[in-house]
Amino acid sequence: MAVLVIADHDGSSVRDTTHKTVTAALALSSDVDVLVLGSKAAADAAAKIAGVRKVLFADGADLGHGLAEAVEATVVPLAAGYDAVLSPATTDGKNFMPRIAAKLDVAPISDIIEVLSSDSFVRPIYAGNALETVQSSDAKKVITVRPTAFAAAAEGGSAPVESVASADTDKATFVSEEMVKSDRPELGAAKIVVSGGRAMGSAEEFHAVIEPLADKLGAAVGASRAAVDAGYAPNDYQVGQTGKVVAPALYIAVGISGAIQHLAGMKDSKIIVAINKDADAPIFQVADYGLVGDYKTVVPELMAALG
Amino acid sequence: MKVLVPVKRVIDYNVKARVKADQTGVDLANVKMSMNPFDEIAVEEAVRLKEGKEHHAAGTASEIVAVSIGVTQAQETIRTALAMGADRGLLIQSDKDLEPLAVAKLLKAVVDEEKPDLVLMGKQSIDGDNNAVGQMLAALLGWPQATFAGKLVVADGKATVTREVDGGLQTLAVTLPAVVTVDLRLNTPRYASLPNIMKAKKKEIAVKAVADYGVDVADRLKVVKVTEPPKRSAGIKVADAAELVANLKTAGVL
Ligand SMILES: Cc1cc2nc3c(=O)[nH]c(=O)nc-3n(C[C@H](O)[C@H](O)[C@H](O)COP(=O)(O)OP(=O)(O)OC[C@H]3O[C@@H](n4cnc5c(N)ncnc54)[C@H](O)[C@@H]3O)c2cc1C
Ligand SMILES: Nc1ncnc2c1ncn2[C@@H]1O[C@H](COP(=O)(O)O)[C@@H](O)[C@H]1O
């Protein structure tokens, strides 16, 4: 059995979501190849992941932008040589993997958190309120992997890099992108996450309260949907069922009530801290340490106590 | 332009799903069911395309067809879409929950019949959390797709879509016909007014059976079991920031 992992990268290096997906792939087979779309530098970086047999590199602007039509046309012919195709459950993976699955007439398996055997997997459903164990009868598997559920494969490999044919598309065109630039750690990979909720009341307050606390802790910044919707924080900060899933060592929720949809994105964190003025807020039901109080006094005190 | 909007009947988003004791699934008996929240956003956007609300030119959409695949009660979901402003409905009746691949195949058959210029749908159903049907439908049709739309502009045979992606926002232009799946921030769906709810009662809902479409809807995935996730128990309340920091240091996370 051979497995193809489609890498997640930033144009120069592979993200650790790729390393985690390689770990899931290695649970299926020891023959794991990695496909890198649109960046030779990232392909060279992927070659250094331990346990990778070889790296396939497909070049092209449409692939670099992750256009699903081009990714599908590139991957479907390659899939003939593999028993499973995996990608991290990033927005890119979620975008193109079901498309690839449909072309292969396969039922995609989304967001797995555990590999039980070559055909059985565990995945959360209902915003993580239930875990479903599914067994696939398809000859080929098309799977997205929840990165927070797997350890990252180590560096130290030296796989060969091979170019493969690439496709493009005339039905979709890349127009522009606005990527949020930040010197903070990436939300999905950070050891500590500080998130702010609706209680912040304005973007200025979000900047003034959440960001200094995150910077003091070397943390990534997250937000509830309410905070994002109200424009206090950019959309890619959203943690939850329909945003990002995080599982840091420490998650600090400031002025977040703890709706089911928010919990879905952070309840696998090792330690959860909640700061909320309402002692009955549902977030306290999952918090290891709860501090009941107004964040306006609690956060400055916390900054001081951290020294 | 004709717009097809697939709408799914799911557990209401305010209800916390409970796993059945026999581990066969989630208990939906006597649970409030509603339209999948993302699908409400898709219906709203379709209606705005027709009305010419926001940046849309009036009449960008000429007809809106809402389609649901599910139990008889999914007619209520379609009725909600009609009350919001969809023109007519189609129910493909199925007592069994179908997998995304089967749903996509049925929707492809509906598209072949209805020939819409745009399929506007939710990015994800909040029960199965698959996030798959739109992308699969686009693949089966050989159409382009634009997923996770936070902004949609339709003009000159193209949909220009700003997508909510991990690193920020990406804007794509896709030629029509296309499939667009919507994200939360595209719009805020309206509540149907009483007169519109009354009007919706007179709109047509065609009812068909899965068998009418002659597509293979067999399951590919066997649900072995459905279990409860590990429970997190509430921890302790600390009195102040100093006590919090002391605890976090002891726990080894600071
Ligand atoms: C389909 C769907 C998907 C969704 N997906 C997500 C998702 O991915 N992520 C997500 O987060 N949400 C999601 N939501 C929204 C979710 O249901 C909640 O509405 C949202 O999480 C609430 O955000 P919040 O906790 O910041 O706001 P609120 O619920 O309004 O809570 C604010 C909290 O701040 C506290 N507070 C107020 N003032 C202070 C103060 N001065 N000091 C301390 N505490 C204070 C209040 O006591 C309250 O508990 C989704 C909803 C739907 C329908
Ligand atoms: N049974 C169904 N009937 C109608 N539309 C559906 C059905 N299942 C899924 N969809 C559509 O597909 C979208 C994505 O669903 P999913 O891939 O299941 O997460 C939903 O938001 C709906 O628009």
Side-chain angles (χ1 to χ4, degrees):
Chain A
M1 156 162 208
V3 180
L4 182 67
V5 169
I6 306 179
D8 176 29
H9 66 80
D10 62 7
S12 56
S13 60
V14 277
R15 294 205 176 86
D16 89 322
T17 49
T18 304
H19 296 72
K20 291 170 171 174
T21 305
V22 166
T23 299
L26 287 167
L28 283 168
S29 163
S30 52
D31 294 332
V32 173
D33 295 348
V34 175
L35 171 65
V36 178
L37 303 167
S39 164
K40 180 64 169 52
D44 291 337
K48 301 202 178 80
I49 302 175
V52 172
R53 185 175 67 173
K54 72 178 171 196
V55 172
L56 310 181
F57 167 54
D59 206 5
D62 287 356
L63 291 177
H65 292 304
L67 298 188
E69 301 75 11
V71 178
E72 173 222 302
T74 301
V75 174
V76 167
L78 289 174
Y82 295 92
D83 303 287
V85 183
L86 271 60
S87 132
T90 55
T91 46
D92 273 345
K94 290 175 184 172
N95 184 41
F96 56 65
M97 291 298 268
R99 188 168 179 114
I100 292 167
K103 274 284 158 157
L104 295 170
D105 194 32
V106 160
I109 307 173
S110 305
D111 221 9
I112 63 161
I113 58 168
E114 202 181 337
V115 175
L116 296 176
S117 70
S118 61
D119 63 2
S120 298
F121 310 92
V122 182
R123 55 181 301 268
I125 52 175
Y126 289 88
N129 287 306
L131 301 179
E132 177 184 62
T133 299
V134 291
Q135 183 176 24
S136 165
S137 61
D138 285 315
K140 235 180 255 307
K141 322 280 185 268
V142 176
I143 296 170
T144 58
V145 173
R146 177 175 289 198
T148 54
F150 294 87
E155 293 282 302
S158 56
V161 180
E162 191 180 286
S163 284
V164 294
S166 54
D168 54 15
T169 172
D170 52 9
K171 288 184 172 165
T173 325
F174 170 80
V175 177
S176 64
E177 64 185 11
E178 270 172 65
M179 294 298 164
V180 178
K181 286 208 175 50
S182 159
D183 296 330
R184 297 195 184 91
E186 241 177 280
L187 192 49
K191 292 204 167 54
I192 304 181
V193 173
V194 179
S195 287
R198 194 197 309 268
M200 294 305 115
S202 70
E204 294 68 37
E205 187 75 352
F206 196 96
H207 287 305
V209 174
I210 300 300
E211 292 178 1
L213 179 56
D215 291 340
K216 180 151 254 181
L217 293 164
V221 179
S224 70
R225 175 193 170 193
V228 172
D229 271 1
Y232 309 163
N235 69 287
D236 62 305
Y237 281 25
Q238 182 179 318
V239 171
Q241 180 186 20
T242 52
K244 287 204 179 93
V245 176
V246 301
L250 175 60
Y251 186 89
I252 304 181
V254 185
I256 292 179
S257 62
I260 300 170
Q261 294 86 4
H262 188 78
L263 300 186
M266 44 65 83
K267 71 182 166 57
D268 292 328
S269 305
K270 193 157 154 267
I271 290 192
I272 296 173
V273 169
I275 298 170
N276 196 305
K277 70 175 183 191
D278 172 9
D280 295 324
I283 189 84
F284 288 122
Q285 291 164 20
V286 300
D288 298 280
Y289 303 106
L291 218 172
V292 179
D294 190 326
Y295 77 84
K296 288 186 176 136
T297 52
V298 171
V299 173
E301 280 168 16
L302 182 55
M303 294 283 284
L306 287 167
Chain B
M1 180 177 79
K2 184 165 168 180
V3 183
L4 186 76
V5 189
V7 294
K8 187 178 183 188
R9 178 178 186 266
V10 297
I11 189 169
D12 187 85
Y13 83 98
N14 278 312
V15 179
K16 185 168 186 285
R18 305 234 172 256
V19 171
K20 285 195 218 165
D22 65 3
Q23 301 197 334
T24 55
V26 160
D27 196 355
L28 293 177
N30 304 315
V31 165
K32 183 177 180 215
M33 304 292 282
S34 300
M35 188 190 299
N36 185 41
F38 291 99
D39 303 353
E40 277 189 305
I41 295 171
V43 174
E44 174 66 33
E45 197 69 12
V47 175
R48 289 184 187 187
L49 281 165
K50 191 170 173 187
E51 294 171 338
K53 283 255 166 66
E54 306 273 326
H55 54 276
H56 301 305
T60 306
S62 48
E63 189 186 19
I64 303 165
V65 183
V67 52
S68 191
I69 301 161
V71 293
T72 313
Q73 294 92 315
Q75 290 205 37
E76 293 160 22
T77 312
I78 297 173
R79 206 58 83 186
T80 304
L82 298 177
M84 288 173 73
D87 297 295
R88 60 188 169 85
L90 167 64
L91 171 69
I92 304 178
Q93 210 156 8
S94 167
D95 287 335
K96 206 183 136 307
D97 246 344
L98 297 176
E99 291 176 359
L101 181 61
V103 172
K105 286 180 179 176
L106 285 167
L107 290 176
K108 175 181 185 292
V110 172
V111 168
D112 289 344
E113 255 176 39
E114 292 279 351
K115 305 198 166 39
D117 305 283
L118 177 66
V119 180
L120 203 50
M121 56 200 289
K123 78 162 179 180
Q124 168 177 352
S125 25
I126 62 162
D127 48 4
D129 283 334
N130 283 300
N131 195 329
V133 171
Q135 298 88 314
M136 298 183 85
L137 174 62
L140 296 177
L141 290 163
W143 289 7
Q145 69 188 48
T147 52
F148 324 146
K151 186 175 180 201
L152 169 69
V153 177
V154 179
D156 309 323
K158 273 192 316 207
T160 304
V161 177
T162 302
R163 307 177 54 234
E164 303 207 352
V165 296
D166 283 341
L169 300 170
Q170 182 196 51
T171 302
L172 298 182
V174 292
T175 54
L176 298 179
V179 175
V180 173
T181 78
V182 308
D183 215 321
L184 291 172
R185 274 167 291 280
L186 181 63
N187 62 47
T188 306
R190 69 193 64 193
Y191 290 101
S193 65
L194 196 57
N196 284 340
I197 293 172
M198 298 312 289
K199 256 194 256 167
K201 292 196 169 145
K202 297 199 194 78
K203 292 181 182 172
E204 174 211 334
I205 300 180
V207 179
K208 298 255 191 132
V210 170
D212 295 340
Y213 292 90
V215 302
D216 169 21
V217 295
D219 282 349
R220 304 294 183 83
L221 303 176
K222 180 176 148 203
V223 177
V224 179
K225 61 177 178 180
V226 174
T227 56
E228 258 189 68
K231 267 221 168 57
R232 262 200 107 94
S233 40
I236 58 165
K237 293 257 167 68
V238 290
D240 55 30
E243 192 186 334
L244 175 61
V245 171
N247 272 293
L248 295 178
K249 284 193 173 145
T250 310
V253 288
L254 283 187

